[in-house]
Each structure stands twice: as C-alpha cells, then as structure tokens.
Amino acid sequence: ANYYISDIFFVVPNTVYTTGEQIEFKGYVYEANYSDNGTLVSASVGRNGYPVNLTMRHKSNGTYVSNYTFTTDTIGAFYSNSTYHYNYTKVPAPSSSGDYIMRAQYIDGNNSIKYSEVEIRIINQTIDSIKISPDKSTYNPSETIKVNVVAMSILGDKTKYINNVTINGSLRNNTKGVVQSFNCTTGSDGKCLFGITAPSSYGSYFLEADNFKSYSFLSVIPFTANVYMK
C-alpha cells in the first residue's frame, strides 16, 4: 500500500466547564489503504494501537496548558476517564477561565498529521443561583421535611450545576426567627437532598438558603383523619 486516507474526530458532552472539572470525551481514528494506482487495499476501519495526542490551548494567544497521549483500542476508539472508562487518563479543565481549543491529532500512514478540534469555555466556579424547596407544601408536626437544594451557574442560555458547594440554611417561623439551622454540600449533580424535622407548633414557616438568597414557604397543620361508621 502506498497511501492512506484517514480521519480522526472526537466529541465532548458539554462545551462549558467550570475550572478543574473533569472533561469526558470519546473519539475515533479511521484509515483506508490504497495502492499507487488507486486500488483499495483495505477499507476505512477503526485503527487499533494508534497513539493520539490531545492538547488544550488558549484560544486568544495559543498558549498550551495541557498535553496527553491516548492509544486507540481494537475499534479505533480513544477515551478519557469517565464512569464507563475508569481506567483511562483523567483530563481536568484548565484552572483559569476563558475560551480554549481542544485538539486531538495523530500521524497517519503517509506520515502526515491529521487532527480534529473542539472549542470549549471554562468559567470560574461561581454560583449565580441557589434554589431551595421542600418536597411538599404542608406537613404534620414532627414529620420529616425532605429538603432539596440546587447550586447553579448561568452563562447565556446554558445552566451549569455546581458541585462541592457548601450551602447554609435554616427553617424560620413567620417572624423570621430561626427554628432549625442546617448545611449541606452539593454533589456531582449540583444538588443536595436531606431531611429535617417539622416543628411541633402549627403555622407558616420559611425554608431559606444562604441568608434568603433563595426561600420557600411551608405550613405545619394538625393531623387529619377520616372516620367511617357502619
């Protein structure tokens, strides 16, 4: 065989990441083999054992910030570390915010560089919005209130859920006196779910996070029962 027609590409699930967040991706290398007279020697298939170089560089000035090497598997695929590919190399997002170019490249059988590029944006792990809510609006005294807290960063029309954020909050009465205090740390989905005990006194209450950056209402009401007589 005298020359090759090749292709490389990869995909990322998101185009916006927070600083230091793990970037997951998957890519493929395909190559077809031809003789000098144009006769097909081998059709385009995924190539096994090819080294693929992945770099990240600033879009603005071209400065490289990271460099990794991956090897294609039996179907020509290469991966970063993820839930499904936990033995592979981890690729963290850059530590500084800005626009970056991810580039995957390899050298084909013609000794030519083939590459594919994806643009991503990195943002600081700031919180633009917090939401706190109970699982329902009314409770009986001493019943468990399931509280859900979400931390988000918003960029244009994209919402990014922020992990590892500690949020302080409280349950307060209708004069905003503190009845219970709590804190939680968001998980990988930007959420934390926990339970607190409803007050023993009837009335309306506030459920608030980070000094009323977000709040919800709930009520504690008497027990009710239906009695049927024959």
Side-chain angles (χ1 to χ4, degrees), residues 31-212:
E31 202 169 73
N33 207 340
Y34 290 83
S35 64
D36 274 344
N37 62 10
T39 302
L40 179 66
V41 177
S42 61
S44 180
V45 294
R47 292 303 181 182
N48 179 29
Y50 275 44
V52 176
N53 180 242
L54 181 92
T55 57
M56 264 188 278
R57 69 182 190 274
H58 283 282
K59 181 181 178 182
S60 60
N61 57 25
T63 302
Y64 287 89
V65 296
S66 56
N67 190 317
Y68 304 90
T69 299
F70 300 87
T71 303
T72 58
D73 63 13
T74 55
I75 60 171
F78 57 97
Y79 318 86
S80 66
N81 184 280
S82 68
T83 303
Y84 303 103
H85 303 100
Y86 51 86
N87 288 326
Y88 291 78
T89 302
K90 291 184 177 181
V91 178
S95 58
S96 299
S97 61
D99 294 328
Y100 292 82
I101 303 295
M102 293 179 65
R103 172 172 169 145
Q105 69 176 46
Y106 83 108
I107 299 175
D108 68 9
N110 302 317
N111 207 31
S112 299
I113 294 175
K114 302 296 182 182
Y115 66 90
S116 175
E117 293 185 336
V118 172
E119 183 176 336
I120 60 173
R121 174 165 292 181
I122 309 301
I123 60 175
N124 289 321
Q125 192 159 319
T126 55
I127 304 170
D128 294 323
S129 178
I130 296 173
K131 291 186 177 180
I132 186 169
S133 59
D135 60 328
K136 56 184 183 177
S137 60
T138 59
Y139 297 86
N140 296 129
S142 302
E143 185 180 354
T144 296
I145 302 171
K146 293 180 180 179
V147 181
N148 185 39
V149 182
V150 183
M152 298 172 287
S153 179
I154 301 170
L155 182 66
D157 60 350
K158 295 183 180 295
T159 299
K160 185 74 178 177
Y161 295 96
I162 308 299
N163 70 314
N164 201 33
V165 176
T166 298
I167 297 172
N168 299 303
S170 64
L171 179 66
R172 304 194 183 207
N173 58 29
N174 59 5
T175 62
K176 296 188 178 180
V178 176
V179 178
Q180 294 183 52
S181 296
F182 52 80
N183 63 70
C184 70
T185 301
T186 57
S188 58
D189 58 355
K191 302 175 183 179
C192 54
L193 180 65
F194 58 94
I196 60 174
T197 303
S200 57
S201 300
Y202 308 141
S204 298
Y205 293 86
F206 293 98
L207 194 61
E208 66 83 21
D210 279 3
N211 198 25
F212 284 89

